[in-house]
């Protein structure tokens, strides 16, 4: 077992109790933001205990958005929260799945790396996990690594990760702390908060040899002193180490709420950390959280997507970074974004003839986000045609840019069968085509982590909307796609008025398409996903430009 990590590196493990979905990710992000504000270099690491090697092959309706890092790793949406709360990019070492760990160990076994030993979960899988925890701290050059272990205590899937954390505590008792985020239900028939499920979860954690140092009790309402004491006694903790985390309106209040209970100081004490000179405080957060609370004027933005419905529910998890990006740019302009969801299927096929296109007029801006496959595409294309002709601000993200190019080719160039090879490879006019290396990958059924992924440079053309929004010549943005604007059509499209304002350094890949301001207030699409780099304290320049135009429309 590797035991040579920097002695002073600190680890906080965040573990869930009772049930998932109570805000472990936001708790982890908030702990990160608090420690960062105290002057520590922090990295946040997410453990997803599933056997998928990464999140890239999972359906966004079931699993939420796939969040892409600079490195190109396709991860869980929690990574997006981490980056947004830390206001910085994380590395490919900050995300671990069971699949990743097992794949590595099994491949090492096949390569005779274990010298003839019997390879087993303990010690080999456990030690590979410890190695990865330690590596993430080193790669980030951080002081503290906060690890969120996915799932809840009692799951089979995450046992090995909790065991790795336990062993790290044994190795470095002063450098490791455990935080349990648990749930305290208030059953409506009883009308009182029940602590028993949390007590049981704590007992289960004990049975793994782990004692929580801090309990964050999530609930609909604040926890009273009586229950705080009950939990404290049942897990042998000082009462201050039990934190009440009631539902609040905005997640940006969570770090502030934690700080009211002295979370930062408490964790520093538990980890034997001294106060830093370069403490910044959380003023920036306070300001932002106040803006969220006090902004009243609205701007109405619609997202045209297909991943909204599961059963009776409308879910927006598939587009969470897009929603966040819209909100941040709106707050920066003094507006609260009211986000509407439009199901693209309502604008196509038999629905199209009685679809209410006029209803689109009430929106100040319309976004077509990323996506895959055929369903809902014709509906998106008819919406794009309408917003182009009626000068409603339009922002296309990845697929949304490709569709904008197809719409332009069909309705302005008159190439009626213009299409993407993703939908109809037999179309005569494939204005969007598969990238040659991608074609080979698909033929070999190589689907996992094989798209054009992660951060790439693009050069911006002076005098364009994009250049003036970014105010720079070279940008870096994150990608996730297999298809591209077909270079054979660039001349025709350009002659017809479409401007390619961002291109890859080789000049071959079209990264941004737009119409000039004098033709349309904002009609712009990006082959990349700008939403992945939008942060509360650093809104994304293209979203901001789009929102500015949306506000102008509203105020007209
Ligand atoms: N399906 C398109 C492609 O693969 C767009 C992908 C996306 O929107 N992320 O190129």
């Amino acid at each position: 077992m590797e035991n040579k990590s920097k002695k002073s590196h600190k680890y906080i493990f965040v573990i869930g109790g009772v049930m998932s979905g109570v805000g472990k990710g936001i708790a982890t992000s908030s702990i990160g933001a608090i420690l960062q504000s105290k002057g520590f270099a922090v990295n946040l690491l997410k453990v997803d205990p599933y056997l998928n090697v990464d999140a890239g092959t999972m359906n966004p309706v079931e699993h939420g958005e796939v969040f892409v890092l600079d490195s190109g790793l396709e991860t869980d949406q929690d990574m997006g929260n981490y980056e947004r709360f830390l206001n910085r990019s994380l590395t490919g070492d900050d995300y671990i799945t069971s699949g990743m760990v097992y794949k590595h160990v099994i491949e090492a076994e096949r390569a005779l790396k274990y010298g003839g030993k019997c390879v087993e979960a303990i010690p080999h899988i456990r030690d590979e996990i410890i190695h990865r925890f330690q590596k993430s701290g080193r790669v980030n050059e951080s002081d503290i690594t906060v690890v969120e272990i996915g799932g809840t205590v009692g799951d089979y899937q995450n046992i090995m990760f909790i065991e790795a954390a336990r062993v790290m505590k044994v190795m470095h008792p002063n450098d490791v702390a455990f935080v349990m985020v648990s749930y305290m239900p208030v059953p409506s028939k009883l009308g009182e908060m029940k602590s028993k499920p949390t007590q049981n979860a704590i007992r289960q954690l004990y049975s793994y040899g782990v004692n929580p140092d801090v309990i964050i009790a999530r609930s609909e309402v604040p926890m009273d002193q009586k229950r705080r004491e009950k939990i404290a006694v049942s897990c042998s903790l000082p009462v201050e180490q039990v934190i009440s985390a009631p539902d609040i309106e905005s997640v940006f209040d969570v770090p502030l709420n934690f700080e009211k209970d002295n979370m930062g100081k408490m964790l520093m004490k538990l980890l034997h950390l001294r106060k830093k000179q370069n403490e910044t405080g959380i003023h920036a957060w306070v300001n932002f959280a106040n803006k969220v609370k006090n902004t009243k004027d609205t701007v109405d933005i619609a997202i045209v997507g297909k991943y909204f419905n599961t059963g009776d529910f409308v879910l927006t998890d598939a587009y969470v970074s897009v929603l966040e990006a819209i909100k941040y740019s709106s707050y920066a302009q003094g507006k609260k974004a009211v986000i509407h969801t439009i199901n693209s299927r309502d604008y196509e096929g038999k629905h199209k003839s009685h679809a209410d296109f006029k209803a689109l007029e009430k929106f100040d801006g319309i976004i077509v986000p990323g996506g895959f496959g055929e369903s809902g595409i014709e509906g998106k294309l008819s919406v794009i045609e309408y917003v182009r002709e009626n000068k409603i601000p339009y922002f296309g993200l990845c697929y949304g840019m490709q569709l904008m190019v197809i719409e332009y080719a069909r309705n302005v160039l008159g190439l009626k069968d213009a299409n993407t090879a993703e939908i109809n490879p037999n179309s005569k006019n494939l204005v969007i085509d598969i990238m040659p290396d991608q074609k080979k990958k698909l033929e070999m059924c190589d689907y996992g982590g094989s798209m054009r992924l992660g951060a790439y440079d693009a050069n911006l053309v002076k005098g364009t909307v994009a250049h003036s929004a970014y105010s720079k010549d070279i940008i870096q943005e994150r990608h996730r796609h297999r298809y591209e604007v077909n270079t054979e059509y660039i001349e025709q499209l350009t002659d017809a008025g479409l401007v390619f304002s961002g291109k890859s350094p080789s000049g071959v890949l079209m990264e941004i398409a737009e119409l000039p301001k004098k033709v349309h207030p904002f009609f712009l699409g990006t082959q990349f996903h700008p939403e992945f780099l939008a942060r509360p304290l650093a809104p994304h320049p293209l979203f901001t430009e789009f929102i500015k135009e949306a506000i102008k429309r509203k105020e007209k």
Side-chain angles (χ1 to χ4, degrees):
M1 183 188 310
E2 189 174 3
N3 196 358
K4 54 177 187 281
S5 73
K6 239 189 349 180
K7 245 257 139 83
S8 59
H9 193 90
K10 307 293 182 180
Y11 297 89
I12 297 169
F13 292 98
V14 180
I15 299 174
V18 180
M19 65 184 204
S20 63
V22 295
K24 213 162 12 109
I26 295 296
T28 306
S29 306
S30 301
I31 289 173
I34 290 171
L35 293 170
Q36 192 170 270
S37 76
K38 302 226 171 272
F40 297 99
V42 181
N43 73 299
L44 302 177
L45 186 158
K46 173 86 197 272
V47 164
D48 267 332
Y50 45 64
L51 285 174
N52 302 58
V53 174
D54 56 43
T57 51
M58 274 180 277
N59 180 341
V61 176
E62 278 160 39
H63 196 77
E65 166 189 272
V66 176
F67 188 82
V68 181
L69 303 179
D70 277 346
S71 71
L73 188 65
E74 297 169 288
T75 72
D76 179 83
Q77 59 182 19
D78 274 325
M79 293 299 289
N81 283 326
Y82 294 177
E83 291 197 339
R84 293 190 277 267
F85 274 67
L86 291 185
N87 198 18
R88 78 169 179 88
S89 298
L90 289 165
T91 74
D93 289 301
D94 296 313
Y95 185 69
I96 306 181
T97 69
S98 294
M100 232 180 241
V101 175
Y102 277 82
K103 183 168 180 273
H104 177 90
V105 170
I106 291 168
E107 279 170 5
E109 182 274 323
R110 294 286 79 184
L112 277 182
K113 295 260 173 67
Y114 293 104
K117 288 220 170 61
C118 172
V119 180
E120 304 206 61
I122 308 267
H124 299 100
I125 294 291
R126 179 198 64 200
D127 290 356
E128 176 59 25
I129 294 170
I130 293 176
H131 166 76
R132 285 173 186 246
F133 287 163
Q134 293 173 331
K135 186 176 174 213
S136 87
R138 279 199 303 277
V139 167
N140 281 279
E141 296 180 358
S142 62
D143 306 312
I144 307 169
T145 301
V146 188
V147 179
E148 177 189 349
I149 298 182
T152 35
V153 184
D155 294 349
Y156 283 113
Q157 293 92 319
N158 59 16
I159 285 181
M160 213 49 74
F161 293 96
I162 300 179
E163 172 62 5
R166 183 192 69 81
V167 171
M168 288 178 76
K169 175 86 177 175
V170 174
M171 281 156 56
H172 308 289
N174 292 335
D175 299 336
V176 176
F178 288 95
V179 174
M180 182 168 194
V181 182
S182 194
Y183 181 60
M184 306 271 278
V186 186
S188 57
K189 286 263 159 37
L190 301 178
E192 88 174 288
M193 185 182 283
K194 303 305 280 180
S195 63
K196 189 56 63 60
T198 293
Q199 292 186 46
N200 284 337
I202 293 164
R203 233 168 262 149
Q204 176 112 41
L205 193 55
Y206 280 161
S207 76
Y208 296 164
V210 171
N211 298 2
D213 299 290
V214 177
I215 307 282
I216 297 174
R218 285 278 300 109
S219 189
E220 283 144 53
V221 292
M223 180 168 50
D224 58 8
Q225 191 61 15
K226 188 172 148 206
R227 282 171 186 79
R228 222 186 245 246
E229 280 162 15
K230 208 165 168 185
I231 296 284
V233 170
S234 78
C235 55
S236 329
L237 284 182
V239 76
E240 314 76 71
Q241 280 162 236
V242 180
I243 295 205
S244 164
D247 285 353
I248 36 180
E249 218 176 289
S250 141
V251 294
F252 301 108
D253 279 334
V254 176
L256 310 178
N257 264 13
F258 282 180
E259 271 305 70
K260 280 187 200 141
D261 280 334
N262 283 317
M263 174 78 92
K265 273 208 188 113
M266 188 194 333
L267 289 169
M268 284 169 63
K269 194 167 150 213
L270 286 166
L271 293 170
H272 306 267
L273 284 165
R274 274 208 213 102
K275 196 169 150 64
K276 287 262 214 180
Q277 293 308 319
N278 56 338
E279 203 171 333
T280 57
I282 47 173
H283 313 295
W285 271 110
V286 176
N287 286 344
F288 182 75
N290 282 341
K291 242 190 227 172
V292 172
K293 258 188 267 176
N294 301 328
T295 308
K296 297 280 179 278
D297 278 1
T298 55
V299 57
D300 287 85
I301 305 297
I303 301 189
V304 186
K306 67 165 181 175
Y307 297 130
F308 291 130
N309 300 320
T310 93
D312 290 338
F313 297 96
V314 173
L315 292 181
T316 46
D317 256 18
Y319 304 112
V320 50
S321 292
V322 179
L323 304 186
E324 292 302 306
I326 297 169
K327 291 182 204 164
Y328 306 154
S329 285
S330 303
Y331 286 130
Q333 300 305 311
K335 302 280 174 203
K336 192 181 203 78
V338 179
I339 299 172
H340 308 259
T341 56
I342 295 182
N343 196 332
S344 52
R345 293 183 191 117
D346 296 343
Y347 286 85
E348 65 186 15
K350 62 180 192 313
H351 302 292
K352 188 174 172 182
S353 51
H354 48 254
D356 187 3
F357 283 92
K358 272 261 170 276
L360 298 171
E361 295 282 346
K362 67 175 182 281
F363 302 120
D364 304 315
I366 289 190
I367 289 185
V368 172
F372 295 86
E374 192 177 353
S375 89
I377 290 311
E378 291 301 324
K380 289 183 185 176
L381 284 166
S382 37
V383 170
I384 297 172
E385 180 181 359
Y386 189 87
V387 301
R388 181 178 55 74
E389 287 182 343
N390 293 280
K391 307 216 186 310
I392 302 173
Y394 171 79
F395 195 9
L397 311 172
C398 203
Y399 217 176
M401 180 254 208
Q402 297 174 355
L403 295 172
M404 157 185 164
V405 172
I406 294 170
E407 189 278 325
Y408 207 77
R410 285 188 189 175
N411 300 320
V412 181
L413 279 185
L415 304 174
K416 286 292 165 222
D417 72 337
N419 217 328
T420 159
E422 184 168 357
I423 296 177
N424 180 10
N426 300 321
S427 152
K428 263 211 321 291
N429 289 295
L430 288 176
V431 290
I432 305 294
D433 205 357
I434 188 149
M435 293 186 269
D437 59 323
Q438 288 295 333
K439 195 166 184 177
K440 282 185 213 121
K441 288 180 188 171
L442 292 192
E443 279 161 9
M444 283 154 45
C445 294
D446 172 13
Y447 297 111
S450 66
M451 286 185 238
R452 179 167 180 251
L453 289 166
Y456 287 94
D457 281 354
N459 297 334
L460 300 183
V461 178
K462 289 204 176 67
T464 59
V465 175
H467 191 274
S468 92
Y470 281 99
S471 326
K472 52 177 158 178
D473 299 334
I474 302 175
I475 56 164
Q476 265 215 330
E477 292 281 0
R478 295 181 185 172
H479 297 69
R480 182 172 189 249
H481 62 117
R482 295 189 199 279
Y483 298 82
E484 260 289 336
V485 176
N486 185 345
T487 44
E488 284 172 29
Y489 289 87
I490 288 170
E491 209 181 306
Q492 280 184 72
L493 288 161
T494 310
D495 288 348
L498 197 64
V499 176
F500 291 103
S501 51
K503 295 179 188 175
S504 63
S506 64
V508 175
L509 305 176
M510 299 302 110
E511 297 282 23
I512 307 177
E514 61 178 72
L515 282 179
K517 267 237 144 73
K518 58 179 190 302
V519 180
H520 194 290
F522 192 94
F523 189 74
L524 183 145
T526 58
Q527 185 54 80
F528 48 84
H529 289 272
E531 68 271 23
F532 292 148
L533 290 180
R535 313 250 163 91
L537 302 181
H540 192 284
L542 286 180
F543 276 92
T544 301
E545 196 53 38
F546 165 69
I547 291 295
K548 279 185 187 164
E549 287 304 330
I551 295 171
K552 274 191 207 155
R553 177 180 163 85
K554 173 137 208 162
E555 286 171 355
K556 241 194 232 159

